[in-house]
């Protein structure tokens, strides 16, 4: 055995030991451009020619791959050119939904992430999972028709929710902002609702926390080289998404990043929706700012109302948003010291200049210089991207091991 062959064998064994080489992972390699021929897939994964061929056959039958033009012949001895493999983004679509406390957004996206149709409407999360998910199913059916696609073309549904999610089950775990949802089987109900309104068979449903999805989408698209990324979503509540090494950090059961329920001295007498006193969300969230505005006679009931007031340049809303930013910045000094991120992003309804100014004032005052020396200054997205990032979650069906679920749905054999 040559030295190079030994290295290849070692790499192949390591790849297989890590669970690499499923049909979904082969597709991810082709889609990313890391391996676009059969030979390259064998080399990267360490799989045999026969095994690669079998898994590629499944992807071809299910419509995920197509053959492109043959590449150049690399060998000076000539030979047949290698056929290039291409990701086929035209054979299916995904559905995405971003569920907030008082409204929701839904969309149909192509497999390349193109927005084909969308709908936003009022939807109260406190009405409970059965009613809310049933309504989302109806919206999806109408959107598909608007986009000119049929139910059998849907390969997956991605849903973002404002609460901690156990990624293994897709169920929310003791969500303070979602009364009546604890432990509910969201995946099954949403799949059934979609089937009822669109006449579809079973479709894979993926559910995750909205801040997690926003962090994942932002890190992948805008900061792919950042190995430690933190996004704080400040809307009616407050949550954080953490991406380390390209992977969402969830904790044991999806509860990581729930910083809105860290106790702060300023809120000692303020009751939070979780039932405790003194939570950060009770004094610094969009909901808290809305409550303080309402006490002064300004009509505001949620983070989205505060956002509208900030957009209109309301001075009272701006002052309260800056104060809220200072309180969040004080907590973020601890977060930055603990995680040492390269990028800290602020998103959600309050992600504007007044709030960001307050965050920076306290963050840099309280955190040690060592913790912020290589930190990109807190950035604000200004918009809620959770719906499109829910689409990214559904697109994981075309970019990871879970594509095998989609293949089982669409395979004609």
């Amino acid at each position: 055995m040559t030295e190079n062959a030994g290295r290849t064998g070692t790499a192949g064994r390591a790849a297989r030991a890590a669970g690499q080489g499923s049909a979904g992972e082969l597709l991810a390699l082709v889609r990313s451009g890391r391996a676009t021929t059969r030979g390259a897939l064998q080399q990267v994964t360490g799989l045999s020619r026969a095994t690669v061929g079998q898994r590629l056959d499944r992807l071809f039958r299910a419509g995920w791959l197509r053959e492109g033009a043959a590449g150049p012949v690399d060998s000076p001895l000539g030979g047949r050119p290698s056929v290039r493999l291409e990701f086929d983004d035209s054979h299916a679509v995904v559905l995405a939904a971003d569920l907030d406390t008082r409204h929701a957004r839904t969309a149909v996206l192509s497999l390349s992430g193109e927005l084909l149709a969308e709908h936003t409407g009022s939807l109260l999360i406190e009405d409970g999972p059965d009613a809310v998910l049933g309504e989302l199913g109806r919206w999806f059916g109408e959107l598909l028709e608007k986009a000119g696609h049929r139910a059998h073309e849907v390969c997956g549904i991605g849903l973002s929710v404002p609460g901690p999610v156990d990624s293994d089950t897709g169920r929310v775990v003791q969500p303070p902002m979602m009364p009546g949802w604890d432990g509910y089987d969201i995946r099954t109900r949403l799949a059934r609702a979609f089937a009822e309104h669109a006449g579809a068979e079973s479709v894979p449903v993926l559910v995750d926390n909205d801040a997690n999805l926003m962090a994942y989408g932002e890190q992948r698209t805008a900061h792919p080289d950042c190995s430690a990324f933190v996004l704080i979503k400040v809307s009616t509540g407050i949550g954080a998404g953490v991406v380390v090494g390209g992977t969402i950090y969830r904790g044991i059961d999806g509860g990581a990043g729930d910083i809105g329920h860290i106790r702060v001295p300023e809120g000692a007498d303020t009751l939070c929706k979780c039932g405790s006193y003194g939570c950060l969300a009770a004094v610094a969230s969009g909901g808290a700012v809305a409550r303080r505005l309402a006490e002064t006679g300004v009509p505001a009931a949620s983070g989205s109302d505060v956002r509208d007031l900030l957009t209109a340049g309301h001075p009272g809303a701006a002052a309260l948003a800056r104060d809220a930013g200072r309180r969040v910045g004080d907590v973020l000094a601890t977060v930055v010291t603990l995680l040492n991120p390269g990028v800290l992003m602020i998103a959600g309804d309050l992600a504007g200049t007044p709030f960001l100014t307050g965050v920076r004032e306290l963050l840099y005052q309280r955190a040690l210089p060592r913790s912020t020396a290589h930190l990109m200054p807190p950035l604000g997205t200004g918009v809620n991207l959770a719906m499109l990032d829910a689409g990214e979650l559904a697109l994981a069906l075309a970019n990871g091991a879970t594509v095998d679920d989609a293949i089982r749905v669409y395979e004609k054999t």
Side-chain angles (χ1 to χ4, degrees):
M1 179 183 295
T2 66
E3 182 180 358
N4 286 339
R7 289 173 181 169
T8 300
T10 301
R13 287 191 296 272
R16 289 190 293 274
Q20 295 180 2
S22 70
E25 286 156 336
L26 294 188
L27 181 59
L29 290 170
V30 174
R31 190 180 181 198
S32 67
R34 290 176 56 201
T36 58
T37 65
R38 288 172 172 81
L41 287 171
Q42 289 176 240
Q43 185 175 12
V44 171
T45 63
L47 297 174
S48 70
R49 180 178 180 180
T51 301
V52 168
Q54 291 170 359
R55 292 174 185 175
L56 288 179
D57 284 344
R58 296 186 69 200
L59 293 168
F60 279 118
R61 286 199 303 270
W64 295 97
L65 286 181
R66 63 189 174 207
E67 291 186 342
V73 178
D74 294 329
S75 172
L77 301 178
R80 296 178 60 187
S82 299
V83 175
R84 293 185 65 82
L85 305 173
E86 297 178 349
F87 175 67
D88 186 350
D89 64 356
S90 63
H91 82 282
V93 294
V94 296
L95 302 175
D98 170 29
L99 185 59
D100 211 326
T101 55
R102 299 170 63 87
H103 64 273
R105 294 191 298 164
T106 51
V108 182
L109 300 102
S110 72
L111 292 183
S112 60
E114 179 187 0
L115 187 63
L116 304 177
E118 65 177 319
H119 172 74
T120 300
S122 298
L123 202 57
L124 297 178
I125 205 166
E126 62 187 24
D127 286 345
D130 188 64
V132 168
L133 296 174
E135 186 68 358
L136 287 180
R138 184 177 71 82
W139 289 6
F140 280 145
E142 294 175 352
L143 272 180
L144 270 180
E145 184 175 352
K146 179 181 177 181
H149 288 273
R150 298 188 179 186
H152 73 270
E153 297 177 78
V154 177
C155 67
I157 300 174
L159 174 66
S160 76
V161 296
V165 176
D166 184 332
S167 60
D168 290 335
T169 65
R171 301 179 187 229
V172 291
V173 182
Q174 299 178 10
M177 309 289 292
M178 304 173 68
W181 290 71
D182 184 26
Y184 188 86
D185 188 356
I186 295 175
R187 290 175 178 171
T188 299
R189 177 65 181 107
L190 185 54
R192 187 173 76 247
F194 175 63
E196 291 170 353
H197 291 284
E201 296 182 1
S202 178
V203 175
V205 176
L206 298 96
V207 185
D208 208 335
N209 170 262
D210 51 6
N212 281 347
L213 287 176
M214 295 173 77
Y216 182 63
E218 288 283 356
Q219 190 274 334
R220 285 186 61 192
T221 57
H223 304 278
D225 296 329
C226 180
S227 60
F229 179 95
V230 176
L231 180 143
I232 309 298
K233 181 191 175 188
V234 187
S235 291
T236 299
I238 301 176
V242 179
V243 180
V244 177
T247 301
I248 297 173
Y249 178 74
R250 306 177 186 279
I252 296 299
D253 62 2
D258 206 0
I259 67 168
H261 301 284
I262 291 176
R263 304 292 177 85
V264 293
E266 298 90 339
D269 299 324
T270 306
L271 180 64
C272 180
K273 286 190 175 183
C274 72
S276 299
Y277 287 86
C279 294
L280 178 65
V283 297
S285 65
V289 173
R291 184 182 65 251
R292 294 174 68 183
L293 285 168
E295 291 171 353
T296 66
V298 178
S302 67
S304 58
D305 293 335
V306 177
R307 178 195 62 214
D308 294 340
L309 289 167
L310 291 170
T311 301
H314 190 283
L320 289 175
R322 180 168 180 170
D323 181 63
R326 289 172 57 85
R327 298 183 183 193
V328 172
D330 197 7
V331 171
L332 290 182
T334 300
V335 172
V336 166
T337 301
L338 178 65
L339 297 177
N340 190 209
V343 176
L344 174 62
M345 180 165 285
I346 309 296
D349 294 327
L350 266 60
T353 300
F355 186 85
L356 281 168
T357 299
V359 168
R360 289 168 178 158
E361 287 177 6
L362 263 289
L363 172 62
Y364 289 103
Q365 176 183 330
R366 298 293 170 84
L368 290 173
R370 172 67 184 83
S371 301
T372 58
H374 301 288
L375 174 68
M376 183 179 291
L379 305 170
T381 66
V383 294
N384 187 341
L385 302 175
M387 180 190 69
L388 295 182
D389 296 324
E392 282 285 337
L393 179 65
L395 287 172
L397 289 168
N399 197 26
T402 51
V403 73
D404 294 301
D405 295 331
I407 291 173
R408 283 191 286 273
V409 173
Y410 289 94
E411 204 166 32
K412 306 305 182 193
T413 58

